[in-house]
Structure formats: C-alpha cells, structure tokens
Amino acid sequence: MKLTPEARGTFAIAPTPFFEDGRIDFDSIDRLTDFYAEVGCDGVTVLGILGEAPKLEGDESLAVATRFIKRAGRKQVIVGVSAPGFAQMRTLARASMDAGAAAVMIAPPPNLRTDEQITGYFRQATEAIGNDVPWVLQDYPLTLTVVMTPSVIRKIVMDSPSCVMLKHEDWPGLEKITALRGFQKDGSLRPLSILTGNGGLFLDFEMERGADGAMTGYAFPDMLVDVVNLSAAGRRDAAHDLFDAHLPLLRYEQQPGVGLAVRKYLLMRRGLLASMALRAPAVPLTDAARAEVDWLLARLARRDPRAALSPA
Amino acid sequence: MKLTPEARGTFAIAPTPFFEDGRIDFDSIDRLTDFYAEVGCDGVTVLGILGEAPKLEGDESLAVATRFIKRAGRKQVIVGVSAPGFAQMRTLARASMDAGAAAVMIAPPPNLRTDEQITGYFRQATEAIGNDVPWVLQDYPLTLTVVMTPSVIRKIVMDSPSCVMLKHEDWPGLEKITALRGFQKDGSLRPLSILTGNGGLFLDFEMERGADGAMTGYAFPDMLVDVVNLSAAGRRDAAHDLFDAHLPLLRYEQQPGVGLAVRKYLLMRRGLLASMALRAPAVPLTDAARAEVDWLLARLARRDPRAALSPA
Amino acid sequence: MKLTPEARGTFAIAPTPFFEDGRIDFDSIDRLTDFYAEVGCDGVTVLGILGEAPKLEGDESLAVATRFIKRAGRKQVIVGVSAPGFAQMRTLARASMDAGAAAVMIAPPPNLRTDEQITGYFRQATEAIGNDVPWVLQDYPLTLTVVMTPSVIRKIVMDSPSCVMLKHEDWPGLEKITALRGFQKDGSLRPLSILTGNGGLFLDFEMERGADGAMTGYAFPDMLVDVVNLSAAGRRDAAHDLFDAHLPLLRYEQQPGVGLAVRKYLLMRRGLLASMALRAPAVPLTDAARAEVDWLLARLARRDPRAALSPA
Amino acid sequence: MKLTPEARGTFAIAPTPFFEDGRIDFDSIDRLTDFYAEVGCDGVTVLGILGEAPKLEGDESLAVATRFIKRAGRKQVIVGVSAPGFAQMRTLARASMDAGAAAVMIAPPPNLRTDEQITGYFRQATEAIGNDVPWVLQDYPLTLTVVMTPSVIRKIVMDSPSCVMLKHEDWPGLEKITALRGFQKDGSLRPLSILTGNGGLFLDFEMERGADGAMTGYAFPDMLVDVVNLSAAGRRDAAHDLFDAHLPLLRYEQQPGVGLAVRKYLLMRRGLLASMALRAPAVPLTDAARAEVDWLLARLARRDPRAALSPA
C-alpha cells in the first residue's frame, strides 16, 4: 500500500545489519522487522543515513530493501534512495516500488545553498523517479548542511504532488512544525504527513506542535510508539513522564557519529542484531562508552522494565 | 588571581544583560555576579559566544568585563577576547587583565581547516596577547566549524605555556576527554584544566571521564555546582539523579540559536535579569516556546524545589 | 557627494598600508589616493576584505577611512563597514559619513544560508546604519560563502531604497549581471549601479553584459579604467587586447590568500606603498613567487609600457 | 601497463559523452580517445569530477571506463573511483584494473576535516581497493572542501606505497608543489608523479615549480601538450607565449559549474562530441555565453591556428 499524506504513528528507522566480516545479515533483518511490528510500529524506513546506505553497492541496496519489504508484509516500508546522481536514484526507487515499497525518501545533496537550488533539485528528483512514486522529503540540516525554510518546504510540496511526507529533523525545529501547520490552516499548503527524527530528542513537544508521529532509530521504538500514542490521546503528563525516563539514554544515542554504534549495540543487547558490526568508515564504541550505555540502561530499567535486558 | 591549570569547579557563562532599547544593563550584571557566587560557582566567564560578544563595540566589551570583574571580587572572571583580528584581541585582553581578569578565552576563527592552520593561529594569538596572559582554549566545533583533534589540542597547549584551560565542547566529546587525560598519563601533555560546555548536555559523564568541572550557561548553575560536587565526591547515582531531573529543561535550553533567548527568559524568571532583551540579530522566544519552558519548569519543580519560581 | 545608482566607472579597492612594524602608514594612503585620481579612477573603496579591515581596531578603521576621504577631495570614497555586530557597523558607518564618505559597503556574515536569512539581515543592517546612508551590497560567495540569487539581490535592493550599488563578484557571475539587467527591463528592479570585482578576472565580458564599471584592487587600475572606457565606447577589440595583455598577471594576483601580498608588492614596485607589510595573520610572498611576478611584469611591459617599472 | 611514480606528460581529463536523451555516446568516446592520442597526450583520465561520474550508475561507469581502456590501447587510462562508500569504490577499482586500467583516482569525501581524518580515510581506501592497485590522489579543495597540507599529502603517500601520483589542483597551489619537491630533496618523501589540474590556469608556472605535467580537461589538450613539452625543454618564453594566447579562453572554461558545458561545447565544435548534452542536474550554456566562447575562439585563432574551427 502506498504512503499517503494521512500517514501517522511511528516509523522505525532500521539499521542495516552486518556480520563481523561486512556481509549483510539478512536473518537480523527479519528479526528487526518482526520486532518493529510487534511493538506497534506503523512502518519501517530503510537505507536512511543511519542505515549506512552509502556503504552499500547498488545490488546490495535493493536486496536489503526487498528483504525488509517482503518480511514486513502489510506494514509499510519506506526506502531511502538519496544518491549522488538521478540515474541511481531512479533505478533504486523504481525497483523498490516494484518490490512493494510504500514510498521512497530523498535527502538534498550537501552542495545546495539557495532556495532556488533546493526547490529546483526536488523538481528534478521528482521527475527522475516518476510522478507515480510517493516520496518523503528529508530535512536534516545538521548532517546534510542544507537549510530549508518552511516556505521552501511548502514550495517543494506544492510543486510535487507525489511528495506525501516530511521527515522533520531540523534542530531547533519546533517552530518549523508550527509554521507548516500554520500554512495548512491558511490554505497555502496541502495535507502533508510530518514525522519527526533527530533521534527523538524533542518528540515530546513535536507531537504537541502538530507532528503526526515519529520516524527515528532510537533503539526503544516501543517508547516512541507509546509517547506518540499518549500524546495523541492527550495524556500529556504521562507522555512526558515516559519520555523523560528515556531521555538520558536517548540523548546519549543521539550523538553524531558514535550514535549508530550505540544504537546497534543496544539492538544487539535486545537480541535483534546478531552483531553490532559497522562497515568502514565507522566510529567504534569504546569500552568506556559501552559501560556508560550499560549504566544508562540499568538506570532506565528502574523506570521502564523493557530496559531490563539480559547481560551483554 | 590569575587562572592556573589547577582550576576546577563550576564557571558560569554569563549572558550580557540588555535593556529593551539595547543599552547594557549594568545593575543586572551585579545581580548575576552575586547570584553566581551565592550558588557556589568558582568563577564567571563573560563575553563568550552566548554573551553576544560580537554585538558589542570595543568600549562596551571592556565596560561589561570590568563591571563583572569589579563585582566578582575574589571570584575569578574569564573574559572572551575572540576577535576577527589580533589588534582588537590584544587590546581587550590586556585591558581586561589590567582590570583584574583571571584569564582570557580564545576561540578559533571559522576559516581554519588544517592542523597546521589551527596550531599556527594559536601561536600567533599567544604572541599577540602576550605570554603573561593566561588563556582558555575554546573547542566548539558545532558552532565554530573548526575541528581540533586531541593531538592538535596537545600541540597548542605544549606550544603555549600560558594556555591553562580547555573549554571542552566538542560533540560528541567524551572520548576527547579520555584521550587528553591519557596524554597526561603518558607524559606527553602537561597539566591542563578541562571544564566542559555544550550547555551541560553530557556533564554527568564528562565528570566521570576526567573533566575538572563545568563551564556553561545553563540557567540553573546551582545544579551544575551540585553535579560537579557530587561527581567529585564519588556519589555517582546522586549526581545522575539530579542531572536527569534537569535534563528535559537543559536539553531545551541547549538548542542552537533560540537557546540564548530561553536562557535569558529563565534568568529573568529567576529575578536576575531585568529584561530578556537580545540585541539584533536575534532569535526571539515565541509564545509557544515560552509555554513549553514554563511547562518544563513546573515539571522540574517537582524534583528540584529551586525550579519553583514565582509566576512570570 | 553621496553615491547614487547612477555611479559608473572605476573604483579602486585600496589596501591599507602598513609599516613593517604594523603601524598604519598614512603617507602611503595619500600617495595611493593621489595615484588613483591621476589614472582616472572615479572613486576609491577602503576597508574592504582585502583592505585587511578585520585586523584594524575601531579607532584605526575610522582614522584610515578619514585619511582617504580627506585626501580624495571631490572623488568619492566608499567605506567597508562589515562587522560581526550591528553596533560596530553603525558606529563606523555614521562616523564615516560624517567624515565625508560617499557610501558604505556591507558584506553578509558567513553564517547566512536561506534567502530569508539573507534578506532579513540586510533589512536589519539598513535599519542599523540609518536610511540616510547609501550603501553598497557586496556579493562575494567564494570568500563569504553566502550565495545570493538574482531574485534575492532584487529583494534586498527593493526592500532598501538606500542600497545604491552592487559590488558583483560572484564566480561565475556573467549570467547574474544579465539576470539583474533583465529584471530592470521588466520593471521589477529599480536602477542600481553594478561594479564588478573578483580581481577583474572577467571584466572584459562583465562590461559587455551590462556592468557599469569595475571595483577591484588590481595593481594596475589604469588598465581597469582603460578597459571600462574602451568597452563603454564600444571599442570591443581594443578592450580585449588590453585586457588580455594584463590577464597573465591579473590571474596571478587574483589567487586567494596570497593575492593581497602580490598586490602590495606590485604597489610597492610602483612607488605607491613604502612597504609591502601585512598584518598577521598573513600569507607572505615567497622568493619564488616574487620572481614569478617580476617575470610577468617584464612580459607585460612589452605590451603595456606602464608595466615597465624600475627595478625592485 | 600500470601507472608508476615516473609518469609524466599530459593526461587529458575526458568528459563522458551523452546523447541528447541522456544515453551514453560510445562512438564519441572512441573519437575522443583517438584525438587525445593524436595530439600527443600520454594518457586519459575518465570518470573524474568533470566526467559527471556521480550521474552514472555502477554498470554505466564500468562500461564507460572499459570503452576508453579498450580504445586507448597502449595509452594509459586512469579511472576515477571516488564513491560515497568503500564497497562501490572497490568494485569499480578492481573491475577497471581487470579491464586494463593503468590506475584509479580517489578524491576525499567532503566531510573530512582534520589531518587524522584525511590520512585515516586514505589508509582505509587503499585497503579497500587492494595494495596492488596503483592510485592517484586528487587534491582539489575548491570543489571538495577538503584541505590537505603538504605534510598530510606526504603522510598519505608514505603510508600507501601504491599511491603513485598526485593530481594537484589546490588554489593557490604553486607553493605546494615547491614544498613537496622540497620533501623529496630532504629525503622525507619518496618519488611521486605530480600532474596539475585546476583547468590549467597556472600550468605555466606549475611546470617551472616542478610538476611532471598536466592532467586537466581544457578543450585544447594540444596546447597543454605543447606547454608541457616546451617547459620541459626549457623554452620558457615560448611556453608562456603559447599559454598566454590560450589564457582568455582557458580562464573562461575554468569557471565552476558552467565550465563543463563550455568544455563540451568546444569539444563538439572540434568535431569530437556528437552532442554537448549533460545529464541533470546541469548548468546549461546560454546563448550569450556561447557567443562569448565563439568570440574568444575567433580571437585565439589569430594566434593559434588550431582554434580556427569550422562554424558551429
């Protein structure tokens, strides 16, 4: 089922599981996919920035996406297709859709600067993948160095009817959600799903500002699901209580660079990944960092029993 | 008293108080200075990045620094003297020291890229201000875009005997503290005080990695003082408990751009600033953001009574 | 006389002359100013990027500007007032105008990214210096890292009636001139003087695209004057012949970083500067580079006798 | 025959020829390859930055490289293998060598900042492609934003015995050649071929500073060959005379962005490309720009008869 602007809930950003020797671990893909479904995720996003997508070859990318899609069944899978050129982007996008993806996700290349360059790029990208492919706009200035104002996002969305969702991870970003929702109220922006990233660091308030849910890779997507649901149900204090309990660990995991290793370590601790291996170039997890994560986990377990994992 | 490599504890980063019309509010400087001393800060750092230093004229900078210094009495004051050119840097540095500053702080200009450019810059800066002026090296890649490895920091410090402290705010930065302390253990780096910034977002672990204390502008420096002291006393769980209670608000304040407005708002709520005015260009605090800060304050007050402020 | 959108011709960008010990050499300012007038320049721009403006203190900046202004008499002087904050910008701008400057010049700070950030900055800058101060917009992405589209420039100009000139030095930039002149033809942009920089590297075609003249620091402003005049007179081949003769040297001088040392060396060779000294930080001229400049000068002298300088 | 540190002469950077519909034009590859050989080039470099490499899919890249290699016969072909990840880099590198390439070329990814990050990256890249694959280090800060000092280049070269050549295109870059040759004189750097790029803008002096030749895509490689040979023969004035004649056009072609369109237009005018088509995203050649190129060509033809092309 294709993604629509009505999408809401929690989409987990999945890592790409590797064995120690760098080969792709397809069994862990299955375990991850099942887990995301069990804890109540509404979908999965694969081959994102943290999915180590640039470290895969073209054939590998499609194989990973396909495995997630097949295993996910009726759950929606979004496939990251950002690429240095439109040829690769188109090939992966169309093959992924043929394999059953719900949508693709596109991030701007880092050399874009002006509003016109940005809107022009996404017009070309839409044309490249084809108007029939629903896509998610990724807005992540901290990592991508491309800054899009609310007006620019509006123009991109209005230029391209097949853009159905914003993966919002500007920082700070709360006012951006408010601005975009304001555009919709004044009629200048059509319906658009907004799921928030940034490791979840502001999920508590993002929901209150009007986000439709979360799309990030925090290793406790079960918490994301709960916060999104509590917030949607208007249970504000309960949402913040749960969120705050996770914040010390979430903050630790959200560090640039080393964050992915933390995440894979946690997913391994949770029994989902056979290995925490990353492909090079990678920032490894030191013993000191691992001990810090274990400490945070132990403290979290006092407030959320799901963090009471069996020893590493 | 001049700053030495033995410095430890908590140095508050002070904002520059303004009236609504943009004039400097010297009375609020006095109130801030007294407050920092009362809550147990060991010193104050003024005219830092968040002190809106670039928005002041040369005469204003010296007047602000002098007012803090005179009021601080025996407490140490560090004066930010980063400048586009060495002439201004030297003038403010020497005038500040003449007025009684304990040290000056220098950040690298954003155009530096290579290790040689960075070490060369600080050699010239040391020469410009004079070998007799103790100085603090500011390492803040997120904002300054200059990346210094531990080896580069070591070289800067070993090249310049008057460099006595590192204001550490790399992100992620825990391994950097460990690396620098390792250099000291292997004898390749001389004694150096390390105080950590980054809004305090990792203060809990920074202390455990070997930091000597905190130097940041979080609006509850009383919490910073306590966490630094608890951590130094080996009371690990108590330190984390207090830190975690503040983390939701601290994280909110640590947002780039808008963070300074949040900070000034909180300091006004605490009765220390007469106004939360910023000089242009500035990112204002929206009503929605103010309500979020109030919400976080109210939640924090349940765990730390110092956050039970009188209504705005 | 204040600068107007009707300005045309050649404005020399003047270096700031120093003695070997770093003091400002005011006598060389007089010599330079007289020379620019003698060779037919219509004005002088001081305290630009290549005027080492950031290396001066506030008092020095005004003293340099004032000396140029007093000596220039009826010739127009434009004063660079770019600064990290609006307070310094306003002070220098107003003091310069009081001293008799024709206009000030403002470059965008390097952290601006989006169209809205850029246009917002210049609205605030105009307000800061006052609506009565004519100003020149500097568009120099290579050095300033801020990219302004023709539409953004149009918005800045239309927002600010006191913006009277564009110092054009985008690279590549020919299409930008054409686009701006097109805006004027379609009525969406009011009259605006466009003088071109970039060391003069494309002056031949810039004039043909509609520029009003040159504003750059090439050490042979006499050539710039001639090319501007020949081109304005429609003597296309003669303009290119003269330009091409200078291109090997001009290209050498236009190198980032070392270019200023080349320029000061040439102006010293021409008897205008007492010293080629730069303030730190500076890229010095090696012996090999000096020999290359001498070689280029000697070759140029075969085609333009003004390059037949007495030995160094 | 594999590339060695003794390589010298002129290597043309080849564009990737496309038809108007975006398909690869293999016949034009053959024509280009023959032409480069006829005018005396010693080799060809394909899939470089200006070869629109990122716009090709994996299979296309190998097909283009293979076609050049097969046609080149005994002439050496260097294949650009820069990629966002080591997996793709390795695959293209090994397949190209299997197809008969002389070497591969690697540029640093734009996120590298510190000396350690840069040297670490190339150690990993060498390992990824295998120690048996000779490779060329591309140093192009203007486009790649990665700045490598001479010391860093030395470390990369000394760390990796299979690095046989530097494609030098720093700007300014003359002192870098001198520094590297100095390292070789003092014994700290092993033999290394240095060919220079940057569109050829400083070829005249680069040869005199110690470069072994040119590796760039100027549409008159016949001129590059002559200047390299004249300079190697010590005929300094003749080398500069020829170079200066081409400089107005060469400068025009060397503009970022639009330069590639200029280059393809000229190669089409020379009868080598069937079309000047670029793949999106691309900066097109306006009518005004085309007329300027024609003007420069006509003027060049007065001094170099090879520029007397048949009408467009």
Side-chain angles (χ1 to χ4, degrees), chain B residues 53-58 60 83-88 91-92 110 121 124 279-282, chain C residues 53-58 60 83-88 91-92 110 121 124 279-282:
Chain B
K55 302 177 189 170
L56 302 185
E57 297 195 75
E60 292 178 325
F86 290 132
Q88 307 107 292
T91 296
L92 182 57
Y121 179 82
Q124 291 185 300
R279 278 196 181 171
Chain C
K55 301 177 191 169
L56 302 184
E57 297 195 75
E60 291 178 326
F86 290 134
Q88 306 106 293
T91 297
L92 182 57
Y121 179 83
Q124 291 186 300
R279 278 197 181 168

Side-chain angles (χ1 to χ4, degrees), chain A:
Chain A
M1 200 182 65
K2 286 189 178 177
L3 198 72
T4 72
E6 284 72 43
R8 52 182 54 250
T10 300
F11 279 64
I13 299 269
T16 302
F18 296 111
F19 292 114
E20 294 295 328
D21 64 3
R23 281 177 306 119
I24 295 165
D25 171 8
F26 288 98
D27 289 339
S28 288
I29 290 181
D30 290 347
R31 266 196 307 275
L32 273 175
T33 311
D34 295 350
F35 167 76
Y36 293 139
E38 283 158 22
V39 300
C41 289
D42 300 277
V44 184
T45 302
V46 304
L47 301 180
I49 293 172
L50 292 180
E52 298 176 74
K55 302 177 189 169
L56 303 184
E57 295 194 76
D59 293 348
E60 292 178 324
S61 298
L62 184 57
V64 166
T66 302
R67 184 73 167 233
F68 273 108
I69 292 165
K70 295 309 175 205
R71 186 75 176 195
R74 293 172 50 93
K75 294 279 181 182
Q76 292 182 311
V77 175
I78 299 170
V79 179
V81 297
S82 303
F86 290 133
Q88 307 107 293
M89 185 186 292
R90 175 185 170 83
T91 297
L92 181 57
R94 300 209 68 87
S96 296
M97 296 306 292
D98 287 347
V104 302
M105 184 163 73
I106 305 176
N111 60 313
L112 303 180
R113 279 290 168 271
T114 70
D115 291 6
E116 286 175 19
Q117 287 170 342
I118 297 167
T119 53
Y121 179 83
F122 285 105
R123 267 196 308 274
Q124 291 187 299
T126 301
E127 195 182 324
I129 61 173
N131 288 322
D132 54 327
V133 176
W135 63 278
V136 178
L137 172 62
Q138 185 171 19
D139 178 25
Y140 194 11
L142 179 67
T143 292
L144 302 168
T145 76
V146 177
V147 184
M148 306 189 216
T149 61
S151 303
V152 163
I153 292 171
R154 176 173 58 187
K155 180 149 182 52
I156 293 168
V157 173
M158 298 308 280
D159 281 353
S160 171
S162 52
C163 177
V164 296
M165 180 185 281
L166 174 69
K167 179 174 198 305
H168 163 283
E169 39 195 341
D170 201 347
W171 182 51
L174 295 173
E175 303 302 338
K176 188 174 263 184
I177 299 174
T178 298
L180 292 168
R181 291 312 189 202
F183 287 159
Q184 292 177 320
K185 278 183 201 126
D186 74 22
S188 65
L189 177 64
R190 61 171 174 75
L192 177 75
S193 177
I194 301 179
L195 300 191
T196 62
N198 247 331
L201 196 62
F202 285 87
L203 181 59
D204 47 350
F205 290 112
E206 287 161 348
M207 290 304 296
E208 298 172 15
R209 292 288 187 119
D212 292 306
M215 186 195 288
T216 190
Y218 180 52
F220 286 85
D222 10 15
M223 180 279 275
L224 302 175
V225 168
D226 289 351
V227 168
V228 166
N229 290 342
L230 287 167
S231 191
R235 298 182 53 196
R236 196 177 184 194
D237 252 311
H240 279 271
D241 286 344
L242 178 60
F243 179 83
D244 289 356
H246 280 264
L247 186 53
L249 177 60
L250 188 150
R251 159 217 52 166
Y252 197 98
E253 196 194 272
Q254 205 253 354
Q255 295 175 82
V258 72
L260 177 55
V262 175
R263 189 163 289 173
K264 283 197 156 179
Y265 172 67
L266 285 167
L267 292 172
M268 187 184 69
R269 288 287 311 272
R270 298 195 80 174
L272 302 168
L273 294 182
S275 156
M276 58 179 291
L278 305 166
R279 278 196 181 170
V283 180
L285 202 62
T286 62
D287 288 346
R290 189 186 294 223
E292 288 163 346
V293 175
D294 289 341
W295 166 265
L296 290 168
L297 260 183
R299 286 178 56 85
L300 174 59
R302 299 182 204 163
R303 298 174 69 182
D304 187 335
R306 292 174 292 200
L309 308 178
S310 50

